[in-house]
Amino acid sequence: MTDPDLTTEYLGLTLRNPIVSSASTVNANVDHLLALETAGIGAVVLPSLFEEQIRPKLPQPNLDGYNTGPSDYLELIRSAVAELNVPVIASLNGVSLSGWTSYASIIEDAGADAIELNIYLIAADPEVSSQAIEGRYLRLVEEVRAAVDIPIAVKLGPYFTSPANMGRQLVEAGADGLVLFNRFHQPEVDLETLTVTSDLTLSTKAEMQLVLRWMALLRGRIDASLAATSGVRQADDVVKLILVGADVVMLTSALLRHGADYTATVLDGVRRWFAVNGYSSLAEARGSLSHQGSADPGAFERANYAQGIASYVPHRHAW
């Protein structure tokens, strides 16, 4: 049984395999990044440089474990690029144009192979239309595209009225890739203190279903790299996402739960599945179960809705 070629292209970069460690606190540690590389990771995304760090007058979140400011972040990029042999992708997290283009340029100068724009915009103002919100995304991408030459990926949230149309517009504005989907962390209420608190929870397998659907719907319809993230736990999840069209699959929660060495476990499982099923490369399989490649494209739209409801079997729960 011959090992399949797991090489993939993402944002114009050649990766040795499609498994990417997405942005998280632990990726601020170069030793951890080196452990990921040793375990076989295809590329790494550094933790985000937050707009709150760029604009000190904004309320500061608790950034313990992350970099403490732009200077530290730039040093992290330089160190990671110097130490690693896999692509290093920086991440910017914010909502406004102020400062973004200048820091994108500085990040490029620090040696990052690409930039992921993590646009965390909650549409809370009833006076702001969906067109205005989408326009802010597009202007941000246009401005950053004009400022840098390295590839740009946009990490999308799942709440657009038409994700496919928005994705296409972002690519037309200058994005080289889309990351599906951003997890907007939700607030919690503390009943003892009667305050709103932050409740960071790791992703679950159920969250991957939304990614699976939209990855399948976008494959072949948008001329851009596609990355899948959220809810990916094991090798089978990676395989499914590649079959529906992902160029790369990003892990965060699984690596936080199991550590950097878990990369090798996932990678071995992916390699084994493609070998056993007779594929010589990922290119042969990618998108074969996408909306365009599937024998039953309606399964990714509404056709399976009634079937899914009708087939549900209630289980006894202990409350």
Side-chain angles (χ1 to χ4, degrees):
M1 185 168 58
T2 304
D3 281 348
D5 179 7
L6 299 185
T7 303
T8 191
E9 296 289 323
Y10 178 58
L11 303 177
L13 305 169
T14 300
L15 278 61
R16 57 181 174 174
N17 65 67
I19 300 175
V20 175
S21 176
S22 50
S24 69
T25 56
V26 294
N27 283 4
N29 184 298
V30 175
D31 287 339
H32 177 76
L33 299 177
L34 288 168
L36 287 169
E37 181 177 62
T38 299
I41 207 73
V44 298
V45 183
L46 302 181
S48 293
L49 175 61
F50 285 89
E51 184 173 3
E52 290 87 347
Q53 296 166 285
I54 299 173
R55 299 173 60 195
K57 292 183 180 180
L58 295 178
Q60 292 290 318
N62 181 357
L63 298 174
D64 292 342
Y66 268 24
N67 44 287
T68 57
S71 296
D72 289 344
Y73 192 77
L74 297 176
E75 182 56 35
L76 172 62
I77 295 172
R78 296 186 190 99
S79 298
V81 170
E83 295 289 340
L84 299 177
N85 293 310
V86 298
V88 175
I89 302 170
S91 175
L92 285 172
N93 186 312
V95 296
S96 75
L97 292 176
S98 176
W100 275 67
T101 54
S102 60
Y103 276 96
S105 180
I106 293 171
I107 283 172
E108 180 178 37
D109 291 341
D113 294 296
I115 300 177
E116 182 178 284
L117 301 181
N118 187 346
I119 309 173
Y120 196 98
L121 176 59
I122 303 297
D125 188 343
E127 301 300 320
V128 179
S129 69
S130 58
Q131 292 92 337
I133 292 168
E134 292 178 2
R136 291 171 67 179
Y137 276 78
L138 297 174
R139 284 193 299 275
L140 172 57
V141 174
E142 288 171 352
E143 293 291 333
V144 175
R145 176 72 287 160
V148 300
D149 294 322
I150 59 176
I152 298 171
V154 177
K155 196 169 187 178
L156 278 179
Y159 303 122
F160 292 100
T161 302
S162 177
N165 179 264
M166 187 61 186
R168 185 174 65 183
Q169 289 190 75
L170 287 166
V171 173
E172 291 172 351
D176 300 285
L178 303 175
V179 182
L180 312 179
F181 283 114
N182 201 348
R183 296 180 71 231
F184 290 165
H185 299 296
Q186 308 303 333
E188 180 59 282
V189 172
D190 188 321
L191 293 178
E192 292 186 2
T193 62
L194 297 182
T195 58
V196 178
T197 63
S198 176
D199 185 25
L200 176 60
T201 58
L202 299 182
S203 65
T204 65
K205 184 176 177 61
E207 295 176 61
M208 196 188 85
Q209 302 307 119
L210 184 65
V211 181
L212 193 77
R213 163 176 280 178
W214 281 104
M215 187 62 65
L217 290 172
L218 294 185
R219 179 83 257 172
R221 293 178 165 182
I222 291 182
D223 185 18
S225 293
L226 296 175
T229 189
S230 289
V232 182
R233 301 187 308 170
Q234 55 193 21
D236 284 357
D237 299 333
V238 175
V239 171
K240 291 175 185 178
L241 289 163
I242 291 170
L243 292 176
V244 298
D247 293 299
V248 298
V249 179
M250 297 186 170
L251 304 182
T252 304
S253 295
L255 296 177
L256 290 174
R257 288 186 177 102
H258 305 295
D261 290 346
Y262 186 64
T263 304
T265 300
V266 175
L267 184 57
D268 287 345
V270 171
R271 184 180 291 110
R272 186 181 311 112
W273 191 94
F274 282 106
V276 168
N277 287 276
Y279 292 99
S280 62
S281 70
L282 292 188
E284 289 183 32
R286 182 178 292 109
S288 59
L289 293 182
S290 68
H291 183 271
Q292 290 190 341
S294 174
D296 182 19
F300 291 110
E301 298 179 9
R302 186 178 168 83
N304 65 344
Y305 178 77
Q307 179 183 358
I309 296 296
S311 64
Y312 176 74
V313 178
H315 297 283
R316 187 181 301 276
H317 296 284
W319 298 99

